[in-house]
Amino acid sequence: QVQLVESGGGLVQAGGSLRLSCAASGRTFSSYVMGWFRQAPGKEREFVGAIAWSGDNAYYLDSVKGRFTISRDNAKNTGYLQMNSLKPEDTAVYYCAARRFWDVSDYSDQGYDYWGQGTQVTVSS
C-alpha cells in the first residue's frame, strides 16, 4: 500500500504560480511512477503529467508543457507539481497518483492503483 496526501492548492490570479506537493508513505516511493491528474467541474479526470521512478524523465499534457514541471525527492518521499503562468482553465481539483510502470505514450489513468484525496486549485481571471 502507498498512501498519498496532496497539499499546496489554493486561489491564485491568472499568471501566478503554485507548487503542489504529494507526500507518500507506505511502500518504497521510489518504486513507483508518480502521475498528476486534474478534474474540473463537469469534466472527466485528465492526465497532467508523470515522472519516472528516479525523476530523470517526465512527460506532460500538451496544454501544460512549458508551464508545469513535475519533480520528486525520493529521500523525502515527496513529489511536486510546479505550476507557472496559470490560466483560469487550469482550475480543477488536482490529484497525485502512483503506479509501477512507465509508458510515455500513456495519458490515461490506467494502472494508477494509489491516489491522493485531491487539492483544489482555483485560478481567477
Side-chain angles (χ1 to χ4, degrees):
Q1 289 282 349
V2 176
Q3 292 79 41
L4 302 173
V5 179
E6 301 98 337
S7 61
L11 173 65
V12 64
Q13 289 188 331
S17 298
L18 279 175
R19 188 177 81 156
L20 307 184
S21 297
C22 176
S25 60
R27 291 182 178 268
T28 305
F29 178 60
S30 59
S31 300
Y32 291 85
V33 170
M34 186 183 69
W36 285 93
F37 294 80
R38 65 186 181 186
Q39 187 166 21
K43 295 188 177 180
E44 293 187 355
R45 187 165 58 193
E46 176 180 57
F47 173 86
V48 173
I51 189 165
W53 310 271
S54 62
D56 60 349
N57 201 358
Y59 66 108
Y60 301 89
L61 180 70
D62 282 350
S63 62
V64 307
K65 280 182 185 176
R67 299 189 298 122
F68 290 12
T69 302
I70 298 173
S71 61
R72 65 192 296 165
D73 185 339
N74 288 337
K76 295 182 178 180
N77 285 347
T78 303
Y80 304 97
L81 176 63
Q82 177 68 45
M83 304 184 293
N84 299 328
S85 301
L86 282 160
K87 305 175 181 180
E89 52 264 43
D90 295 318
T91 295
V93 177
Y94 282 72
Y95 300 88
C96 63
R99 72 179 183 187
R100 289 285 195 178
F101 64 92
W102 177 250
D103 182 355
V104 297
S105 67
D106 184 5
Y107 289 72
S108 78
D109 61 3
Q110 294 298 309
Y112 284 94
D113 296 323
Y114 305 104
W115 291 82
Q117 83 288 352
T119 186
Q120 177 70 46
V121 172
T122 303
V123 184
S124 63
S125 57

